Coordinates of all heavy atoms in Angstrom, one line a residue:
T177 N 163.0 152.2 208.5 CA 163.4 153.4 209.1 C 162.5 154.6 208.8 O 162.6 155.7 209.4 CB 164.8 153.8 208.5 OG1 164.7 154.2 207.1 CG2 165.8 152.7 208.7
K178 N 161.6 154.4 207.8 CA 160.7 155.5 207.4 C 161.4 156.7 206.7 O 160.8 157.7 206.5 CB 159.8 156.0 208.6 CG 159.1 155.0 209.4 CD 158.3 154.1 208.5 CE 157.6 153.0 209.3 NZ 156.9 152.0 208.5
I179 N 162.7 156.5 206.4 CA 163.4 157.5 205.6 C 162.8 157.5 204.2 O 162.5 156.5 203.6 CB 164.9 157.2 205.6 CG1 165.5 157.2 207.0 CG2 165.6 158.1 204.7 CD1 167.0 156.8 207.1
D180 N 162.6 158.7 203.7 CA 162.0 158.9 202.4 C 162.9 158.2 201.3 O 164.1 158.3 201.3 CB 161.9 160.4 202.1 CG 161.0 160.7 200.9 OD1 161.0 159.9 199.9 OD2 160.4 161.8 200.9
A181 N 162.2 157.5 200.4 CA 163.0 156.8 199.3 C 163.8 157.8 198.5 O 164.9 157.4 198.1 CB 162.0 156.1 198.4
D182 N 163.4 159.0 198.4 CA 164.2 160.0 197.6 C 165.4 160.4 198.4 O 166.3 161.1 197.8 CB 163.3 161.2 197.4 CG 162.2 161.0 196.3 OD1 162.2 159.9 195.8 OD2 161.4 161.9 196.1
A183 N 165.5 160.1 199.7 CA 166.6 160.5 200.5 C 167.6 159.4 200.8 O 168.5 159.6 201.7 CB 166.0 161.0 201.8
I184 N 167.6 158.4 200.0 CA 168.5 157.2 200.3 C 169.5 157.2 199.1 O 169.1 156.9 198.0 CB 167.8 155.9 200.4 CG1 166.8 156.0 201.6 CG2 168.7 154.7 200.6 CD1 165.8 154.9 201.6
M185 N 170.8 157.3 199.4 CA 171.9 157.3 198.4 C 172.8 156.2 198.7 O 173.5 156.3 199.7 CB 172.6 158.6 198.3 CG 173.7 158.7 197.2 SD 174.7 160.2 197.2 CE 173.4 161.4 196.6
I186 N 172.9 155.1 197.9 CA 173.8 154.0 198.1 C 174.7 153.9 196.9 O 174.2 153.7 195.8 CB 173.0 152.7 198.4 CG1 172.0 152.8 199.5 CG2 174.0 151.6 198.7 CD1 171.2 151.6 199.8
S187 N 176.0 153.9 197.1 CA 176.9 153.8 196.0 C 177.8 152.6 196.2 O 177.9 152.1 197.3 CB 177.8 155.1 195.9 OG 178.6 155.3 197.0
A188 N 178.4 152.1 195.1 CA 179.4 151.1 195.1 C 180.7 151.7 195.1 O 181.0 152.7 194.4 CB 179.2 150.1 193.9
T189 N 181.7 151.2 195.9 CA 183.0 151.8 195.9 C 183.8 151.4 194.6 O 184.7 152.1 194.3 CB 183.8 151.3 197.1 OG1 184.0 149.9 197.0 CG2 183.2 151.7 198.4
H190 N 183.3 150.4 194.0 CA 183.9 149.9 192.7 C 185.2 149.1 192.9 O 186.0 148.9 191.9 CB 184.2 151.1 191.7 CG 184.2 150.7 190.3 ND1 183.3 149.9 189.7 CD2 185.2 150.9 189.3 CE1 183.6 149.7 188.4 NE2 184.7 150.3 188.2
T191 N 185.4 148.5 194.1 CA 186.5 147.6 194.2 C 186.3 146.4 193.3 O 185.2 145.8 193.2 CB 186.7 147.1 195.6 OG1 187.7 146.1 195.7 CG2 185.4 146.4 196.2
H192 N 187.3 146.1 192.5 CA 187.2 145.0 191.6 C 187.6 143.6 192.2 O 187.3 142.6 191.6 CB 188.2 145.2 190.4 CG 187.7 146.2 189.4 ND1 187.3 147.5 189.7 CD2 187.6 146.1 188.0 CE1 187.0 148.1 188.6 NE2 187.1 147.3 187.6
T193 N 188.1 143.6 193.4 CA 188.5 142.4 194.1 C 187.4 142.0 195.1 O 187.5 142.1 196.3 CB 189.8 142.5 194.8 OG1 190.7 143.3 193.9 CG2 190.5 141.2 195.0
A194 N 186.2 141.7 194.5 CA 185.0 141.4 195.3 C 184.2 140.3 194.7 O 184.5 139.8 193.5 CB 184.2 142.7 195.3
P195 N 183.2 139.8 195.3 CA 182.4 138.7 194.8 C 181.7 139.0 193.5 O 181.3 140.2 193.3 CB 181.5 138.3 195.9 CG 182.0 138.9 197.2 CD 182.8 140.2 196.7
Q196 N 181.4 138.0 192.8 CA 180.5 138.1 191.6 C 179.1 138.2 192.1 O 178.6 137.2 192.6 CB 180.7 137.0 190.6 CG 179.9 137.0 189.4 CD 180.0 138.2 188.6 OE1 179.1 139.1 188.7 NE2 181.0 138.4 187.8
I197 N 178.4 139.3 191.9 CA 177.0 139.4 192.3 C 176.0 139.4 191.2 O 174.8 139.8 191.4 CB 176.8 140.6 193.3 CG1 177.2 141.9 192.6 CG2 177.7 140.4 194.6 CD1 176.9 143.1 193.5
R198 N 176.4 139.0 190.0 CA 175.5 138.9 188.9 C 175.4 137.4 188.5 O 176.4 136.8 188.0 CB 175.9 139.8 187.7 CG 175.6 141.3 188.0 CD 176.3 142.2 187.1 NE 175.9 143.6 187.3 CZ 176.3 144.4 188.3 NH1 177.2 143.9 189.2 NH2 175.8 145.6 188.3
E199 N 174.3 136.8 188.7 CA 174.1 135.4 188.5 C 174.5 134.9 187.1 O 175.0 133.8 186.9 CB 172.7 135.0 188.8 CG 172.4 133.5 188.8 CD 171.0 133.2 189.2 OE1 170.3 134.0 189.7 OE2 170.6 132.0 189.0
R200 N 174.3 135.8 186.1 CA 174.5 135.3 184.7 C 176.0 135.1 184.5 O 176.4 134.5 183.4 CB 174.0 136.4 183.7 CG 174.7 137.7 183.7 CD 173.9 138.7 182.8 NE 174.5 140.0 182.7 CZ 174.4 141.0 183.5 NH1 173.7 140.8 184.6 NH2 175.0 142.2 183.3
Y201 N 176.9 135.6 185.3 CA 178.3 135.5 185.1 C 179.0 134.4 186.0 O 180.2 134.3 186.1 CB 179.1 136.8 185.4 CG 178.8 137.9 184.4 CD1 178.4 139.1 184.8 CD2 179.1 137.6 183.1 CE1 178.2 140.1 183.9 CE2 178.8 138.6 182.1 CZ 178.4 139.9 182.5 OH 178.2 140.9 181.6
L202 N 178.1 133.6 186.6 CA 178.7 132.5 187.5 C 179.3 131.4 186.6 O 180.1 130.6 187.1 CB 177.6 132.0 188.4 CG 177.1 133.0 189.5 CD1 176.0 132.4 190.3 CD2 178.3 133.4 190.3
G203 N 178.8 131.3 185.4 CA 179.5 130.4 184.4 C 179.6 129.0 184.9 O 178.6 128.4 185.4

């Protein structure tokens, strides 16, 4: 998009009922 890296804000909503996205916790 050529949008400046400083101009991109991505947040997590923090829903707890979501997939595990950290490989170390796949157990």
Side-chain angles (χ1 to χ4, degrees):
T177 68
K178 309 306 179 186
I179 297 175
D180 193 328
D182 290 352
I184 299 167
M185 181 184 292
I186 306 177
S187 63
T189 63
H190 202 52
T191 176
H192 282 54
T193 318
Q196 177 55 258
I197 58 174
R198 286 166 172 79
E199 186 176 348
R200 67 185 185 277
Y201 290 126
L202 293 178

